[in-house]
Amino acid sequence: MIMYRELEDYIYEYCEKFQTKNELMARKTLMYTSSTTSSSMLSAMRSRGWISEDPLILNMIADGPHELKRRVVERIWREHKDELPLNLCPKCNLIARTPLARQCRFCKHDWHSSDTAAK
Ligand SMILES: [Zn+2]
């Protein structure tokens, strides 16, 4: 299996338990900080532990959200490839949009009915 954008999105979005504490903190720090966030808001978030000032974390997000995501997904893929709970289309074997999706966004295959029949 090779990595493609939709699979990358899925892993980043739904495989949180495979992300390290630092990776989750880096994500959160990126999410909560933007150029429009006021400095008083930033210090409030820091004191609550929502965002980090750790140079390690800041270094992880220094290249922006896309780089962070790419690196996180790449690491997860390398280390946990076989344990990821991927919701793959039974027909084309590509990733579904969400863990609960029962319709393929690529080939439009719908497996709602086969799901109940199998159980
Ligand atoms: Zn499909």
Side-chain angles (χ1 to χ4, degrees):
M1 220 155 104
I2 52 148
M3 183 55 64
Y4 46 96
R5 196 172 58 82
E6 287 82 359
L7 181 59
E8 189 175 274
D9 287 347
Y10 187 99
I11 291 173
Y12 200 54
E13 209 53 52
Y14 300 112
C15 300
E16 277 199 355
K17 76 177 181 120
F18 295 97
Q19 291 170 28
T20 66
K21 244 169 94 182
N22 282 348
E23 286 168 353
L24 291 168
M25 182 47 91
R27 274 183 82 162
K28 253 184 6 187
T29 303
L30 250 184
M31 199 165 80
Y32 288 132
T33 53
S34 72
S35 51
T36 55
T37 315
S38 70
S39 54
S40 58
M41 189 66 196
L42 285 175
S43 59
M45 290 195 285
R46 265 186 215 114
S47 64
R48 284 178 193 154
W50 292 359
I51 60 174
S52 175
E53 272 187 300
D54 187 337
L56 185 80
I57 303 290
L58 297 182
N59 190 41
M60 286 172 76
I61 62 177
D63 296 320
H66 295 292
E67 260 316 281
L68 173 68
K69 179 174 170 180
R70 199 187 57 77
R71 286 182 208 150
V72 169
V73 171
E74 201 179 83
R75 185 198 58 77
I76 294 177
W77 190 246
R78 201 173 52 234
E79 296 173 10
H80 304 286
K81 197 175 174 167
D82 299 325
E83 346 157 27
L84 295 177
L86 301 177
N87 183 16
L88 299 171
C89 169
K91 203 169 173 188
C92 69
N93 219 32
L94 290 172
I95 194 73
R97 203 177 294 274
T98 73
L100 297 174
R102 289 289 176 267
Q103 188 173 13
C104 180
R105 70 178 120 177
F106 297 100
C107 72
K108 308 291 174 220
H109 178 63
D110 185 317
W111 60 98
H112 281 94
S113 49
S114 62
D115 200 41
T116 44
K119 275 169 196 151

